[in-house]
Amino acid sequence: MSYRLPAPLPSLILDDIRGAQKMLDGVARVTAMEGSRHLSALVGSPVHLKCENLQRTGSFKLRGAYVRIAGLRPEEKAAGVVAASAGNHAQGVALASALLGVRSTVFMPVGAPLPKVAATREYGADVRLVGQVVDETLAAAEEYAERTGAVFIHPFDHRDIIAGQGTVGLEILEQCPEVRTIVVGVGGGGLVAGIAVAVKAVRPDVRVVGVQAKGAAAYPPSLAAGHPVAVDEPVTMADGIKVGRPGDVPFAIVRELVDDVRTVSEDALSSALLLCLERAKLVVEPAGCAPVAALLSEPEAFRGPVVAVLSGGNVDPLLLQRILRHGMVAAGRYLSLRLRVADRPGALAGLLGVLSVVDANVLDVSHVRTDPGLGLTEVEVELHLETKGPEHCAEVAASLHGAGYRVMS
C-alpha cells in the first residue's frame, strides 16, 4: 500500500547529503554490505544487508549527530550540547562531541540498559539519569538546554541530522548499484527520510520501504491523516524505533518520497533477530532487525535486488537472552507439552525414551499430582523441549501419540 501524497519539496537536497558525506570522511565507517543466501532464497532475488550495526557506536546515529554538531556556530559549540536518549542517539552524540571537542550532557532514563549508559560515559558525555520513561528524560534535557544555553540535539527532527543519516543511502547506491528496493526501520523517520532523499535524487525508480513495529506504528495513521499523529503509549521490544510521534521535518520527506510504510509483529522481530544471529552471524538489536522481519513476514512484497538496512546492534545482553528465547518459540524451536502417565516407577523413563528416539532435547520436566481431574494412579507431566523446527515438533507429537500417550497441549 502506498501513502505517496502531494507535498512541497523537502527542505533537504542531494547536495546537502553529499556535503555530509565529505564531512564524515574518516569519521564514520563505510559499513559492509553482506549478502544473505537464506533471505535471497525466500524473496526469490538477491538480498543484501547494510551493516550499520557495525558502525562506530554500534548504530547509524553517529552520522547525523556529527553533522549536526559540526555545523554549530563557534559560540554554540562553546555552550555545549545536550541530548536525551535511551541508547543509540546518546552514544552518537557523545562520540561526535568528543571528536569535535564539544562538551556534551546526555540525559538517559533511570532504567536505561547499563551497557548503553557505560558506553555513553566512556565516549565522554556527562550522563544524567532522570525519569522512568523517555518523555520525562526529554523534558529534563530541554529544561537543561533552556537553563544553561546548551544546544539541544534532537535525534531525528532536524535537517542536518537527516543529511547525516542520508549518507547511508549514498553508500547503498555505490555498493549495490543494481538495487531495486531498500527496506529501512522507522522510528521518528530521520534515517528513512535521509535515505529517500539521497536515493530518489539519483535513482527515482528504487522503492524505499519503511518498517515499524505494530505496537509503535505512528507513521501509517499520520500519513493517512496528512500530518503527524501521536500514538499513545507505544509498546515494542524495539526501543530504537519506539517513537510515539513522527518528526515534522522527516514526515514531510517521508510523505513525498517513501513508497510504503509497513508494520511487523513482535514475533517477527524476534525471529529476525534469531536469523541474523544464526545465519548472518551478526548481532543486531530488535529495531535494526525490522527490515528483516518485514522480509520474513511477506517476502513476495519486495522486488529485488533488495537492501535491508540493519540500523544498529546495541542490545542489552539480558534483553537479548529473552528475545532469543521468544524467537526460538516463534520459530517452532521450543515445544511445551502436557500429558498424563501412570504414577509408577519407570513411567517417566519410558516417556523420555520415546523423546530420545526422535532426538528431542528435554529442557525441563515438572510433575502435577494434585489436580482433582487426575486419576488415583495418574500423574501429569509438563515437558519443555528444544526441537529443530515445526516439522520436528509434529514428529515429536506423532511419536508420543504412537506410543499411546495422550498429549493435552
Side-chain angles (χ1 to χ4, degrees):
M1 177 178 181
S2 175
Y3 292 102
R4 298 190 66 177
L5 299 172
L9 289 174
S11 59
L12 197 69
I13 62 174
L14 179 61
D15 285 346
D16 296 319
I17 299 175
R18 284 180 171 154
Q21 188 176 44
K22 291 179 182 178
M23 190 180 297
L24 288 168
D25 185 27
V27 175
R29 294 173 181 151
V30 176
T31 51
M33 184 87 77
E34 299 288 345
S36 171
R37 286 196 303 169
H38 181 83
L39 290 173
S40 298
L42 192 67
V43 172
S45 60
V47 174
H48 306 280
L49 307 175
K50 176 62 172 166
C51 300
E52 281 296 290
N53 59 312
L54 303 180
Q55 182 58 261
R56 296 177 72 177
T57 75
S59 89
F60 70 96
K61 289 288 190 177
L62 172 65
R63 297 173 184 262
Y66 188 91
V67 173
R68 172 78 171 101
I69 297 169
L72 296 176
R73 299 188 303 273
E75 60 271 23
E76 291 176 318
K77 290 180 180 178
V81 299
V82 60
S85 168
N88 289 347
H89 181 59
Q91 293 173 70
V93 168
L95 179 56
S97 299
L99 294 172
L100 291 163
V102 176
R103 185 177 68 258
S104 65
T105 303
V106 176
F107 286 78
M108 304 182 75
V110 172
L114 293 179
K116 294 184 178 182
V117 174
T120 304
R121 285 195 171 119
E122 288 171 8
Y123 287 129
D126 174 15
V127 175
R128 306 191 182 190
L129 302 178
V130 177
Q132 298 299 319
V133 296
V134 174
D135 285 345
E136 295 173 359
T137 308
L138 179 61
E142 290 174 335
E143 186 278 330
Y144 177 89
E146 292 176 4
R147 176 166 48 85
T148 65
V151 178
F152 181 68
I153 307 299
H154 198 282
F156 51 81
D157 207 10
H158 193 281
R159 67 190 307 277
D160 289 347
I161 293 285
I162 297 171
Q165 321 305 30
T167 59
V168 176
L170 294 182
E171 290 179 16
I172 289 172
L173 294 179
E174 292 165 2
Q175 293 171 312
C176 185
E178 68 279 11
V179 64
R180 297 178 75 187
T181 305
I182 299 173
V183 192
V184 190
V186 179
L191 177 61
V192 73
I195 288 175
V197 171
V199 170
K200 293 292 187 176
V202 180
R203 288 276 310 282
D205 60 299
V206 173
R207 283 178 58 82
V208 178
V209 178
V211 183
Q212 293 204 286
K214 284 182 180 177
Y219 262 94
S222 297
L223 290 163
H227 57 83
V229 174
V231 172
D232 294 333
E233 299 183 4
V235 178
T236 176
M237 72 176 79
D239 58 348
I241 54 175
K242 187 181 177 182
V243 177
R245 181 186 183 278
D248 293 332
V249 179
F251 176 80
I253 297 171
V254 170
R255 184 176 65 172
E256 180 187 355
L257 297 179
V258 173
D259 297 280
D260 191 11
V261 177
R262 310 174 75 85
T263 62
V264 293
S265 68
E266 299 297 286
D267 281 353
L269 289 168
S270 297
S271 296
L273 188 150
L274 184 62
L275 184 142
C276 287
L277 192 62
E278 281 194 320
R279 305 301 294 266
K281 310 302 184 244
L282 293 169
V283 176
V284 186
E285 64 190 274
C289 289
V292 175
L295 294 175
L296 291 175
S297 300
E298 201 170 352
E300 68 279 1
F302 299 91
R303 181 181 63 182
V306 177
V307 172
V309 180
L310 308 182
S311 58
N314 293 318
V315 57
D316 180 65
L318 294 177
L319 176 62
L320 179 62
Q321 185 179 35
R322 293 198 298 271
I323 294 171
L324 287 176
R325 187 181 302 115
H326 188 82
M328 294 277 277
V329 172
R333 300 276 294 278
Y334 283 150
L335 179 62
S336 296
L337 299 171
R338 287 188 302 117
L339 40 82
R340 292 177 181 181
V341 299
D343 190 8
R344 65 169 183 263
L348 180 60
L351 171 61
L352 297 179
V354 173
L355 296 173
S356 175
V357 170
V358 290
D359 200 25
N361 186 33
V362 179
L363 300 175
D364 187 46
V365 180
S366 61
H367 296 76
V368 175
R369 288 187 169 86
T370 57
D371 190 321
L374 287 171
L376 185 64
T377 60
E378 286 184 317
V379 61
E380 185 174 285
V381 177
E382 184 173 354
L383 297 166
H384 297 277
L385 310 174
E386 183 182 5
T387 71
K388 300 171 186 177
E391 291 182 0
H392 191 206
C393 289
E395 181 185 351
V396 171
S399 294
L400 290 171
H401 283 296
Y405 294 99
R406 183 165 63 91
V407 177
M408 302 170 63
S409 65

